[in-house]
Amino acid sequence: MRAIFALVLAAILAVPAAGQEGYDPGEPRWSFAIHGGAGTIRRENMSAKQEAEYRAALDAALKAGEDILREGGSAMDAVTAAITLMEDDPKFNAGRGAVFTWDGTIEHDAALMDGQTRAAGAVTGTSTVRHPILLAREVMRHGRHVFLSGAGAESFADSTDLERVDNEWFATDARRQSLERMKAQALSSLDVDLKFGTVGAVALDLDGNLAAGTSTGGMTGKRWGRIGDAPVIGAGTYADNRSCAVSATGWGEYFIRVGVAQEICTRLRLRWDQMLQDAHDSVPMDGEGNPQYVIHASELWLEAQDIQDIADAVLAEVQDLGGDGGVIVTSPFGPAIFSFNTPGMYRGRVTSAGLREIGIFGKGE
């Protein structure tokens, strides 16, 4: 009996179950979520046409990942498929349409992480790679390093088959005007960037593997090689099959200080471990000290609200320090969730259970 109980506990640890109404523990499932930035995004400041355009862009990115997962593809492929679409869309602060640095150039940051192996790749300060998220994937595949920057990242890109473009290809008039207004009126980047347009995606595939990716142009007028949270593994991007996958968007300095992405995953894993321990301790013993029954994995789960509470608590720490932004989180336990402490966040989620939604403004709008 002791051996059987130990094996069951080991199985529970390896494959957390999802508690959902009508959930079959033996049925494979997938979930997917994206974001296109959080910030001062209010309905009264957006025309019906602009809203429709953003919703269409989010829908296209969501469908790109959804189609891959529905057909049994990998979480990693779903994440990169969605992000590359958003990197090409000038409505978002990533790839084409990214913000300008103080010197009038465009520099990209991106990161990608595999929850199965915890392999990761990240790049910062790139200027000619059309899809920075794919360069992050090449860094991860290469395996020798995790994080490459600037000229070194560009040199590494030379050894790949990734598409390259002139830096001016990424430029848009709207972003250039933001930089000019910032300099002319001595404004801060937050005054001209009413939203953090970073893009990201998180996924759970039918094999139970998680992945997370994030891509951004940073903040308008950034100087001195400033790096935000997006490419920092553990701050803006993190994935671990034992707990969750997270992609963040917001005021990067604060997300780095809190270590937002890994903090959420660590708290979730500790919550799960505590649930396992409580279940173990609750089993009565017979006269010989053996457990009287076995607790099966299908009897244990974390509710979506448990995950929401953890994400909200970590975002509250960011807010207490003076920062704001949002995260998307998916896990083996249930559907993806959003958490943000800004007026709005461009976001979408879809699951194999039939949930599919796109949002822009605050909760309930």
Side-chain angles (χ1 to χ4, degrees), residues 340-363:
F340 54 99
N341 56 16
T342 52
M345 180 168 80
Y346 297 112
R347 61 198 187 274
R349 63 178 174 176
V350 59
T351 73
S352 54
L355 171 68
R356 194 179 199 279
E357 64 179 15
I358 290 170
I360 294 178
F361 309 109
K363 303 174 184 70

Short mmCIF file of all heavy atoms in Angstrom, two decimals, residues 340-363:
data_model
loop_
_atom_site.label_atom_id
_atom_site.label_comp_id
_atom_site.label_asym_id
_atom_site.label_seq_id
_atom_site.Cartn_x
_atom_site.Cartn_y
_atom_site.Cartn_z
N PHE A 340 -4.85 42.57 -14.85
CA PHE A 340 -4.25 43.86 -15.18
C PHE A 340 -4.79 44.93 -14.23
O PHE A 340 -5.91 44.84 -13.74
CB PHE A 340 -4.50 44.25 -16.64
CG PHE A 340 -5.94 44.24 -17.09
CD1 PHE A 340 -6.67 45.42 -17.15
CD2 PHE A 340 -6.56 43.06 -17.48
CE1 PHE A 340 -7.99 45.42 -17.58
CE2 PHE A 340 -7.87 43.05 -17.92
CZ PHE A 340 -8.60 44.23 -17.97
N ASN A 341 -3.92 45.91 -13.93
CA ASN A 341 -4.31 47.00 -13.03
C ASN A 341 -4.33 48.34 -13.78
O ASN A 341 -4.08 49.39 -13.20
CB ASN A 341 -3.39 47.06 -11.81
CG ASN A 341 -1.92 47.21 -12.18
OD1 ASN A 341 -1.59 47.56 -13.32
ND2 ASN A 341 -1.03 46.94 -11.24
N THR A 342 -4.62 48.27 -15.07
CA THR A 342 -4.74 49.44 -15.93
C THR A 342 -6.20 49.52 -16.42
O THR A 342 -6.95 48.56 -16.28
CB THR A 342 -3.80 49.31 -17.13
OG1 THR A 342 -4.02 48.04 -17.76
CG2 THR A 342 -2.34 49.41 -16.70
N PRO A 343 -6.59 50.66 -17.00
CA PRO A 343 -7.97 50.76 -17.48
C PRO A 343 -8.36 49.73 -18.54
O PRO A 343 -9.53 49.41 -18.71
CB PRO A 343 -8.04 52.19 -18.05
CG PRO A 343 -7.03 52.94 -17.26
CD PRO A 343 -5.90 51.98 -17.04
N GLY A 344 -7.38 49.23 -19.28
CA GLY A 344 -7.69 48.24 -20.30
C GLY A 344 -6.49 47.43 -20.70
O GLY A 344 -5.34 47.74 -20.33
N MET A 345 -6.72 46.35 -21.45
CA MET A 345 -5.64 45.54 -22.00
C MET A 345 -6.17 44.83 -23.24
O MET A 345 -7.24 44.21 -23.20
CB MET A 345 -5.13 44.51 -20.98
CG MET A 345 -3.99 43.65 -21.51
SD MET A 345 -3.13 42.67 -20.22
CE MET A 345 -4.26 41.30 -20.03
N TYR A 346 -5.45 44.94 -24.35
CA TYR A 346 -5.79 44.18 -25.55
C TYR A 346 -5.52 42.71 -25.25
O TYR A 346 -4.38 42.33 -24.95
CB TYR A 346 -4.95 44.64 -26.73
CG TYR A 346 -5.19 46.08 -27.12
CD1 TYR A 346 -4.21 47.05 -26.95
CD2 TYR A 346 -6.41 46.48 -27.66
CE1 TYR A 346 -4.42 48.37 -27.31
CE2 TYR A 346 -6.64 47.80 -28.03
CZ TYR A 346 -5.65 48.73 -27.84
OH TYR A 346 -5.87 50.04 -28.20
N ARG A 347 -6.54 41.86 -25.39
CA ARG A 347 -6.38 40.49 -24.93
C ARG A 347 -7.36 39.55 -25.62
O ARG A 347 -8.38 39.97 -26.15
CB ARG A 347 -6.59 40.41 -23.41
CG ARG A 347 -7.99 40.85 -22.98
CD ARG A 347 -8.04 41.19 -21.49
NE ARG A 347 -9.40 41.46 -21.03
CZ ARG A 347 -9.99 42.65 -21.10
NH1 ARG A 347 -9.37 43.68 -21.63
NH2 ARG A 347 -11.23 42.80 -20.64
N GLY A 348 -7.04 38.26 -25.57
CA GLY A 348 -7.93 37.24 -26.10
C GLY A 348 -7.56 35.88 -25.53
O GLY A 348 -6.41 35.65 -25.15
N ARG A 349 -8.53 34.99 -25.44
CA ARG A 349 -8.26 33.63 -24.98
C ARG A 349 -9.23 32.66 -25.62
O ARG A 349 -10.35 33.00 -25.99
CB ARG A 349 -8.33 33.54 -23.45
CG ARG A 349 -9.70 33.86 -22.86
CD ARG A 349 -9.67 33.71 -21.35
NE ARG A 349 -10.92 34.14 -20.74
CZ ARG A 349 -11.19 34.04 -19.44
NH1 ARG A 349 -10.29 33.54 -18.61
NH2 ARG A 349 -12.35 34.46 -18.96
N VAL A 350 -8.79 31.39 -25.73
CA VAL A 350 -9.60 30.35 -26.33
C VAL A 350 -9.15 29.01 -25.74
O VAL A 350 -7.97 28.83 -25.43
CB VAL A 350 -9.45 30.36 -27.87
CG1 VAL A 350 -8.00 30.14 -28.29
CG2 VAL A 350 -10.35 29.31 -28.51
N THR A 351 -10.10 28.09 -25.54
CA THR A 351 -9.77 26.78 -24.97
C THR A 351 -10.49 25.67 -25.73
O THR A 351 -11.47 25.91 -26.43
CB THR A 351 -10.17 26.69 -23.48
OG1 THR A 351 -11.61 26.57 -23.40
CG2 THR A 351 -9.71 27.90 -22.70
N SER A 352 -10.01 24.45 -25.52
CA SER A 352 -10.63 23.29 -26.14
C SER A 352 -12.02 23.03 -25.57
O SER A 352 -12.81 22.30 -26.17
CB SER A 352 -9.75 22.05 -25.94
OG SER A 352 -9.46 21.86 -24.57
N ALA A 353 -12.33 23.61 -24.42
CA ALA A 353 -13.65 23.44 -23.80
C ALA A 353 -14.71 24.34 -24.43
O ALA A 353 -15.89 24.27 -24.09
CB ALA A 353 -13.57 23.72 -22.31
N GLY A 354 -14.30 25.22 -25.36
CA GLY A 354 -15.26 26.05 -26.06
C GLY A 354 -15.26 27.51 -25.69
O GLY A 354 -15.95 28.32 -26.32
N LEU A 355 -14.49 27.89 -24.68
CA LEU A 355 -14.39 29.31 -24.32
C LEU A 355 -13.60 30.05 -25.38
O LEU A 355 -12.52 29.63 -25.79
CB LEU A 355 -13.69 29.45 -22.97
CG LEU A 355 -13.32 30.87 -22.54
CD1 LEU A 355 -14.58 31.69 -22.25
CD2 LEU A 355 -12.41 30.85 -21.31
N ARG A 356 -14.14 31.17 -25.86
CA ARG A 356 -13.40 32.02 -26.79
C ARG A 356 -13.87 33.45 -26.60
O ARG A 356 -15.05 33.74 -26.74
CB ARG A 356 -13.63 31.60 -28.25
CG ARG A 356 -12.63 32.24 -29.21
CD ARG A 356 -12.88 31.78 -30.65
NE ARG A 356 -11.72 32.00 -31.49
CZ ARG A 356 -11.42 33.18 -32.06
NH1 ARG A 356 -12.20 34.23 -31.85
NH2 ARG A 356 -10.33 33.31 -32.82
N GLU A 357 -12.93 34.35 -26.27
CA GLU A 357 -13.31 35.74 -26.05
C GLU A 357 -12.16 36.69 -26.36
O GLU A 357 -10.99 36.31 -26.26
CB GLU A 357 -13.80 35.96 -24.62
CG GLU A 357 -12.75 35.73 -23.56
CD GLU A 357 -13.29 36.00 -22.15
OE1 GLU A 357 -14.52 36.09 -21.99
OE2 GLU A 357 -12.48 36.11 -21.22
N ILE A 358 -12.52 37.89 -26.74
CA ILE A 358 -11.57 38.96 -27.01
C ILE A 358 -12.01 40.18 -26.22
O ILE A 358 -13.20 40.49 -26.15
CB ILE A 358 -11.52 39.28 -28.52
CG1 ILE A 358 -10.85 38.12 -29.28
CG2 ILE A 358 -10.75 40.58 -28.78
CD1 ILE A 358 -10.97 38.24 -30.78
N GLY A 359 -11.05 40.86 -25.59
CA GLY A 359 -11.38 42.03 -24.79
C GLY A 359 -10.40 43.17 -25.04
O GLY A 359 -9.26 42.93 -25.47
N ILE A 360 -10.83 44.37 -24.77
CA ILE A 360 -9.98 45.55 -24.91
C ILE A 360 -10.04 46.42 -23.67
O ILE A 360 -9.01 46.82 -23.12
CB ILE A 360 -10.41 46.39 -26.14
CG1 ILE A 360 -10.16 45.62 -27.44
CG2 ILE A 360 -9.64 47.73 -26.17
CD1 ILE A 360 -10.61 46.35 -28.70
N PHE A 361 -11.25 46.70 -23.20
CA PHE A 361 -11.43 47.65 -22.11
C PHE A 361 -11.44 46.93 -20.77
O PHE A 361 -11.11 45.74 -20.69
CB PHE A 361 -12.73 48.42 -22.34
CG PHE A 361 -12.80 49.01 -23.73
CD1 PHE A 361 -13.68 48.51 -24.67
CD2 PHE A 361 -11.95 50.04 -24.11
CE1 PHE A 361 -13.75 49.04 -25.95
CE2 PHE A 361 -11.99 50.57 -25.40
CZ PHE A 361 -12.90 50.06 -26.32
N GLY A 362 -11.80 47.64 -19.72
CA GLY A 362 -11.80 47.06 -18.39
C GLY A 362 -12.77 45.90 -18.26
O GLY A 362 -13.63 45.68 -19.10
N LYS A 363 -12.61 45.16 -17.18
CA LYS A 363 -13.46 43.99 -16.94
C LYS A 363 -14.92 44.42 -16.92
O LYS A 363 -15.29 45.39 -16.28
CB LYS A 363 -13.08 43.35 -15.63
CG LYS A 363 -11.60 42.93 -15.55
CD LYS A 363 -11.24 42.42 -14.17
CE LYS A 363 -9.76 42.09 -14.06
NZ LYS A 363 -8.93 43.30 -14.07
#
